[in-house]
PDB file of all heavy atoms in Angstrom:
ATOM      1  N   LYS A 197      11.795  -8.280   1.502  1.00 97.00           N
ATOM      2  CA  LYS A 197      13.038  -7.591   1.172  1.00 97.00           C
ATOM      3  C   LYS A 197      14.220  -8.184   1.918  1.00 97.00           C
ATOM      4  O   LYS A 197      15.283  -8.428   1.336  1.00 97.00           O
ATOM      5  CB  LYS A 197      12.923  -6.092   1.499  1.00 97.00           C
ATOM      6  CG  LYS A 197      12.195  -5.266   0.463  1.00 97.00           C
ATOM      7  CD  LYS A 197      12.367  -3.777   0.763  1.00 97.00           C
ATOM      8  CE  LYS A 197      11.782  -2.917  -0.333  1.00 97.00           C
ATOM      9  NZ  LYS A 197      12.061  -1.480  -0.126  1.00 97.00           N
ATOM     10  N   VAL A 200      15.274 -11.615   0.485  1.00 97.00           N
ATOM     11  CA  VAL A 200      15.955 -11.461  -0.808  1.00 97.00           C
ATOM     12  C   VAL A 200      17.351 -10.879  -0.621  1.00 97.00           C
ATOM     13  O   VAL A 200      18.324 -11.349  -1.219  1.00 97.00           O
ATOM     14  CB  VAL A 200      15.125 -10.568  -1.758  1.00 97.00           C
ATOM     15  CG1 VAL A 200      15.910 -10.273  -3.037  1.00 97.00           C
ATOM     16  CG2 VAL A 200      13.806 -11.245  -2.109  1.00 97.00           C
ATOM     17  N   PHE A 201      17.466  -9.879   0.230  1.00 97.00           N
ATOM     18  CA  PHE A 201      18.782  -9.282   0.488  1.00 97.00           C
ATOM     19  C   PHE A 201      19.731 -10.292   1.132  1.00 97.00           C
ATOM     20  O   PHE A 201      20.905 -10.371   0.772  1.00 97.00           O
ATOM     21  CB  PHE A 201      18.642  -8.057   1.389  1.00 97.00           C
ATOM     22  CG  PHE A 201      17.922  -6.897   0.766  1.00 97.00           C
ATOM     23  CD1 PHE A 201      17.415  -5.867   1.541  1.00 97.00           C
ATOM     24  CD2 PHE A 201      17.734  -6.827  -0.608  1.00 97.00           C
ATOM     25  CE1 PHE A 201      16.748  -4.795   0.976  1.00 97.00           C
ATOM     26  CE2 PHE A 201      17.062  -5.758  -1.192  1.00 97.00           C
ATOM     27  CZ  PHE A 201      16.569  -4.742  -0.394  1.00 97.00           C
ATOM     28  N   LEU A 204      20.957 -12.641  -1.555  1.00 97.00           N
ATOM     29  CA  LEU A 204      21.964 -12.019  -2.409  1.00 97.00           C
ATOM     30  C   LEU A 204      23.311 -11.904  -1.702  1.00 97.00           C
ATOM     31  O   LEU A 204      24.363 -12.169  -2.292  1.00 97.00           O
ATOM     32  CB  LEU A 204      21.488 -10.623  -2.843  1.00 97.00           C
ATOM     33  CG  LEU A 204      20.384 -10.564  -3.893  1.00 97.00           C
ATOM     34  CD1 LEU A 204      19.942  -9.114  -4.107  1.00 97.00           C
ATOM     35  CD2 LEU A 204      20.860 -11.160  -5.214  1.00 97.00           C
ATOM     36  N   VAL A 236      26.067  -2.891  -4.266  1.00 96.00           N
ATOM     37  CA  VAL A 236      25.481  -2.413  -5.523  1.00 96.00           C
ATOM     38  C   VAL A 236      24.258  -3.239  -5.883  1.00 96.00           C
ATOM     39  O   VAL A 236      23.193  -2.706  -6.242  1.00 96.00           O
ATOM     40  CB  VAL A 236      26.527  -2.460  -6.660  1.00 96.00           C
ATOM     41  CG1 VAL A 236      25.862  -2.187  -8.012  1.00 96.00           C
ATOM     42  CG2 VAL A 236      27.638  -1.459  -6.411  1.00 96.00           C
ATOM     43  N   THR A 237      24.383  -4.556  -5.782  1.00 96.00           N
ATOM     44  CA  THR A 237      23.281  -5.454  -6.151  1.00 96.00           C
ATOM     45  C   THR A 237      22.089  -5.279  -5.227  1.00 96.00           C
ATOM     46  O   THR A 237      20.935  -5.243  -5.677  1.00 96.00           O
ATOM     47  CB  THR A 237      23.762  -6.920  -6.108  1.00 96.00           C
ATOM     48  OG1 THR A 237      24.927  -7.070  -6.915  1.00 96.00           O
ATOM     49  CG2 THR A 237      22.675  -7.844  -6.635  1.00 96.00           C
ATOM     50  N   VAL A 238      22.340  -5.163  -3.938  1.00 96.00           N
ATOM     51  CA  VAL A 238      21.253  -4.964  -2.972  1.00 96.00           C
ATOM     52  C   VAL A 238      20.539  -3.642  -3.229  1.00 96.00           C
ATOM     53  O   VAL A 238      19.305  -3.561  -3.179  1.00 96.00           O
ATOM     54  CB  VAL A 238      21.797  -5.021  -1.534  1.00 96.00           C
ATOM     55  CG1 VAL A 238      20.766  -4.476  -0.540  1.00 96.00           C
ATOM     56  CG2 VAL A 238      22.167  -6.444  -1.158  1.00 96.00           C
ATOM     57  N   SER A 239      21.302  -2.598  -3.530  1.00 95.00           N
ATOM     58  CA  SER A 239      20.694  -1.288  -3.808  1.00 95.00           C
ATOM     59  C   SER A 239      19.791  -1.343  -5.038  1.00 95.00           C
ATOM     60  O   SER A 239      18.672  -0.807  -5.031  1.00 95.00           O
ATOM     61  CB  SER A 239      21.786  -0.238  -4.004  1.00 95.00           C
ATOM     62  OG  SER A 239      22.563  -0.084  -2.835  1.00 95.00           O
ATOM     63  N   LEU A 240      20.282  -1.988  -6.099  1.00 96.00           N
ATOM     64  CA  LEU A 240      19.470  -2.104  -7.315  1.00 96.00           C
ATOM     65  C   LEU A 240      18.242  -2.977  -7.080  1.00 96.00           C
ATOM     66  O   LEU A 240      17.141  -2.659  -7.551  1.00 96.00           O
ATOM     67  CB  LEU A 240      20.321  -2.692  -8.447  1.00 96.00           C
ATOM     68  CG  LEU A 240      21.483  -1.815  -8.937  1.00 96.00           C
ATOM     69  CD1 LEU A 240      22.301  -2.554  -9.985  1.00 96.00           C
ATOM     70  CD2 LEU A 240      20.968  -0.499  -9.511  1.00 96.00           C
ATOM     71  N   MET A 241      18.427  -4.057  -6.338  1.00 96.00           N
ATOM     72  CA  MET A 241      17.287  -4.929  -6.038  1.00 96.00           C
ATOM     73  C   MET A 241      16.268  -4.209  -5.161  1.00 96.00           C
ATOM     74  O   MET A 241      15.054  -4.441  -5.281  1.00 96.00           O
ATOM     75  CB  MET A 241      17.774  -6.199  -5.343  1.00 96.00           C
ATOM     76  CG  MET A 241      16.678  -7.207  -5.025  1.00 96.00           C
ATOM     77  SD  MET A 241      15.743  -7.737  -6.507  1.00 96.00           S
ATOM     78  CE  MET A 241      17.017  -8.666  -7.358  1.00 96.00           C
ATOM     79  N   ASP A 242      16.728  -3.321  -4.299  1.00 96.00           N
ATOM     80  CA  ASP A 242      15.814  -2.550  -3.455  1.00 96.00           C
ATOM     81  C   ASP A 242      14.899  -1.683  -4.305  1.00 96.00           C
ATOM     82  O   ASP A 242      13.701  -1.563  -4.028  1.00 96.00           O
ATOM     83  CB  ASP A 242      16.612  -1.680  -2.486  1.00 96.00           C
ATOM     84  CG  ASP A 242      15.715  -0.904  -1.540  1.00 96.00           C
ATOM     85  OD1 ASP A 242      14.825  -1.517  -0.924  1.00 96.00           O
ATOM     86  OD2 ASP A 242      15.888   0.323  -1.427  1.00 96.00           O
ATOM     87  N   VAL A 243      15.457  -1.082  -5.354  1.00 95.00           N
ATOM     88  CA  VAL A 243      14.648  -0.270  -6.267  1.00 95.00           C
ATOM     89  C   VAL A 243      13.583  -1.134  -6.940  1.00 95.00           C
ATOM     90  O   VAL A 243      12.402  -0.761  -7.031  1.00 95.00           O
ATOM     91  CB  VAL A 243      15.544   0.408  -7.322  1.00 95.00           C
ATOM     92  CG1 VAL A 243      14.691   1.150  -8.356  1.00 95.00           C
ATOM     93  CG2 VAL A 243      16.522   1.374  -6.661  1.00 95.00           C
ATOM     94  N   VAL A 244      13.998  -2.310  -7.407  1.00 96.00           N
ATOM     95  CA  VAL A 244      13.072  -3.207  -8.093  1.00 96.00           C
ATOM     96  C   VAL A 244      11.960  -3.671  -7.149  1.00 96.00           C
ATOM     97  O   VAL A 244      10.771  -3.634  -7.494  1.00 96.00           O
ATOM     98  CB  VAL A 244      13.835  -4.429  -8.657  1.00 96.00           C
ATOM     99  CG1 VAL A 244      12.854  -5.447  -9.244  1.00 96.00           C
ATOM    100  CG2 VAL A 244      14.836  -3.989  -9.718  1.00 96.00           C
ATOM    101  N   LEU A 245      12.341  -4.109  -5.954  1.00 96.00           N
ATOM    102  CA  LEU A 245      11.342  -4.602  -5.003  1.00 96.00           C
ATOM    103  C   LEU A 245      10.401  -3.501  -4.542  1.00 96.00           C
ATOM    104  O   LEU A 245       9.200  -3.748  -4.346  1.00 96.00           O
ATOM    105  CB  LEU A 245      12.049  -5.218  -3.784  1.00 96.00           C
ATOM    106  CG  LEU A 245      12.779  -6.547  -4.037  1.00 96.00           C
ATOM    107  CD1 LEU A 245      13.510  -6.999  -2.772  1.00 96.00           C
ATOM    108  CD2 LEU A 245      11.811  -7.634  -4.496  1.00 96.00           C
ATOM    109  N   THR A 246      10.925  -2.307  -4.357  1.00 95.00           N
ATOM    110  CA  THR A 246      10.077  -1.177  -3.952  1.00 95.00           C
ATOM    111  C   THR A 246       9.025  -0.887  -5.015  1.00 95.00           C
ATOM    112  O   THR A 246       7.855  -0.624  -4.713  1.00 95.00           O
ATOM    113  CB  THR A 246      10.935   0.076  -3.681  1.00 95.00           C
ATOM    114  OG1 THR A 246      11.854  -0.195  -2.623  1.00 95.00           O
ATOM    115  CG2 THR A 246      10.050   1.252  -3.271  1.00 95.00           C
ATOM    116  N   GLN A 247       9.458  -0.932  -6.271  1.00 94.00           N
ATOM    117  CA  GLN A 247       8.509  -0.698  -7.369  1.00 94.00           C
ATOM    118  C   GLN A 247       7.455  -1.795  -7.432  1.00 94.00           C
ATOM    119  O   GLN A 247       6.257  -1.527  -7.637  1.00 94.00           O
ATOM    120  CB  GLN A 247       9.274  -0.620  -8.701  1.00 94.00           C
ATOM    121  CG  GLN A 247       8.383  -0.411  -9.928  1.00 94.00           C
ATOM    122  CD  GLN A 247       7.609   0.884  -9.870  1.00 94.00           C
ATOM    123  OE1 GLN A 247       8.104   1.897  -9.379  1.00 94.00           O
ATOM    124  NE2 GLN A 247       6.386   0.871 -10.378  1.00 94.00           N
ATOM    125  N   ILE A 248       7.870  -3.033  -7.222  1.00 94.00           N
ATOM    126  CA  ILE A 248       6.928  -4.158  -7.277  1.00 94.00           C
ATOM    127  C   ILE A 248       5.958  -4.126  -6.096  1.00 94.00           C
ATOM    128  O   ILE A 248       4.740  -4.319  -6.261  1.00 94.00           O
ATOM    129  CB  ILE A 248       7.701  -5.498  -7.289  1.00 94.00           C
ATOM    130  CG1 ILE A 248       8.493  -5.644  -8.597  1.00 94.00           C
ATOM    131  CG2 ILE A 248       6.733  -6.681  -7.120  1.00 94.00           C
ATOM    132  CD1 ILE A 248       9.401  -6.845  -8.615  1.00 94.00           C
TER     133      ILE A 248
END
Side-chain angles (χ1 to χ4, degrees):
K197 280 190 174 186
V200 173
F201 293 163
L204 286 175
V236 171
T237 306
V238 166
S239 298
L240 294 176
M241 182 57 68
D242 183 50
V243 175
V244 174
L245 290 176
T246 299
Q247 179 61 36
I248 293 173

